[in-house]
Amino acid sequence: MVELNINGERQDVAMESDTPLLWALRDGLQLTGTRFSCGIAICGACVVLVDGKPVRSCVTPLSAVAGKQITTIEGLSPDRSHPVQQAWIEEEVPQCGYCQSGQILTAAALLDRNPEPSQADIEEAMGEVLCRCGTYPRIRTAVMKAVELAASKNKEV
């Protein structure tokens, strides 16, 4: 049994501690927004946030994340109000959608650590997640839109 903190809730997972986090999320907890693709930490479709940092869940054992804050796409915001999610919708980013949870969480982590990223910062961060459909121009546009949306939200507060 491994105790995890996923999307702000404590979860006891009855799996071996060397089980990849991806399988605990998808098979153990039915949080299927995190995708399996390459299985070797190359593509980024399986990205989740661990203590706010993007992590490839397909190769991360449960033992490495026990006691840490894990955020999946389901936990980013319950109503799609996160600026990155809003921007993705407004800019109609997804084509097939398979990589989008990894893309969105990677973008959210980027904006958390750098609220005003340069184009180079965006290229570097977002280049870590592959998009089979090639929607990179829309992804970059959406990240910049998320910067604007986050800034306007901060002004309201």
Side-chain angles (χ1 to χ4, degrees):
M1 187 75 68
V2 180
E3 183 182 312
L4 302 174
N5 184 338
I6 300 175
N7 300 327
E9 294 183 21
R10 181 179 164 229
Q11 301 280 349
D12 290 321
V13 179
M15 294 182 168
E16 297 295 323
S17 65
D18 62 347
T19 301
L21 174 59
L22 175 66
W23 301 119
L25 295 171
R26 291 186 60 81
D27 295 346
L29 300 169
Q30 274 59 71
L31 294 171
T32 57
T34 305
R35 307 283 196 224
F36 172 75
S37 185
C38 72
I40 55 174
I42 292 174
C43 72
C46 69
V47 165
V48 297
L49 302 180
V50 177
D51 291 340
K53 295 182 176 120
V55 169
R56 308 296 169 112
S57 64
C58 70
V59 295
T60 302
L62 294 177
S63 61
V65 296
K68 297 182 179 183
Q69 300 293 320
I70 301 163
T71 303
T72 67
I73 192 67
E74 293 91 348
L76 190 58
S77 75
D79 59 358
R80 298 183 184 157
S81 64
H82 191 281
V84 174
Q85 290 171 308
Q86 289 178 340
W88 245 247
I89 292 165
E90 288 180 27
E91 296 300 324
E92 299 177 346
V93 172
Q95 190 166 322
C96 82
Y98 201 80
C99 68
Q100 295 309 299
S101 60
Q103 298 280 1
I104 289 169
L105 290 171
T106 299
L110 167 64
L111 298 184
D112 279 348
R113 73 176 179 273
N114 183 357
E116 296 180 18
S118 67
Q119 284 296 328
D121 296 332
I122 293 169
E123 293 283 336
E124 182 180 342
M126 301 313 295
E128 296 291 318
V129 183
L130 301 179
C131 175
R132 294 174 179 175
C133 301
T135 63
Y136 298 111
R138 292 195 310 238
I139 290 167
R140 288 188 298 270
T141 300
V143 173
M144 291 308 297
K145 178 72 161 189
V147 169
E148 294 171 19
L149 292 169
S152 67
K153 266 189 177 181
N154 290 337
K155 285 180 184 176
E156 292 173 6
V157 174

